[in-house]
Structures are given as structure tokens and as C-alpha cells.
Amino acid sequence: MKPIVDVPITGEPIRLGQFLKLAGIAEDGSHAKDLLDADEVTVNGETEIRRGRQLVNGDVVGVGSQQCRVTLG
């Protein structure tokens, strides 16, 4: 499994859909929605389907073998 990549945000909370784009996991909002609809996204190890889920510092988002941690930058 790949190491967890820290992705800095300027303020919390951040919506999951926005974070997927910021982290480079999703190309755009439509791609983020597709990933969520396909049950491919996890937050802190649990499947998440809500694009508007609020993420805070320390949350770990995963898609496949890629994992990114929300960090305040």
C-alpha cells in the first residue's frame, strides 16, 4: 500500500468533493461524484457516499491504494 500523503487545506472543514479535487484524486466534480457513486471512496476506513461530507484535520480519505490526509496548512 502507498504511504498516506498529507494534503494541506487553508481552513476546516472542507467538503469531501472539494478535497478529492484538491488532492488530485478526482479531475473535477463530476469525477468525484462518479467515484462516490461507485462506492470507491473511504473516509477513515469506512465507505463514504456523501460528496458534502465535512472533513476536518486528520481525516484520511482513500480511493483504491491512494490515501490522503487532511492537514491544516
Side-chain angles (χ1 to χ4, degrees):
M1 181 173 282
K2 295 180 181 178
I4 297 174
V5 176
D6 288 336
V7 178
I9 61 172
T10 55
E12 62 180 354
I14 185 171
R15 290 194 314 270
L16 178 56
Q18 291 176 313
F19 184 77
L20 290 170
K21 293 184 290 184
L22 179 66
I25 296 171
E27 298 169 13
D28 54 31
S30 176
H31 185 214
K33 183 179 184 313
D34 291 344
L35 290 171
L36 290 161
D37 288 347
D39 293 336
E40 293 187 31
V41 180
T42 62
V43 176
N44 300 326
E46 296 187 7
T47 302
E48 181 57 71
I49 60 170
R50 298 171 294 163
R51 188 168 44 172
R53 159 96 184 245
Q54 300 290 305
L55 302 175
V56 295
N57 188 43
D59 282 342
V60 176
V61 176
V63 175
S65 64
Q66 187 172 6
Q67 292 192 321
C68 297
R69 181 185 298 116
V70 178
T71 58
L72 290 175

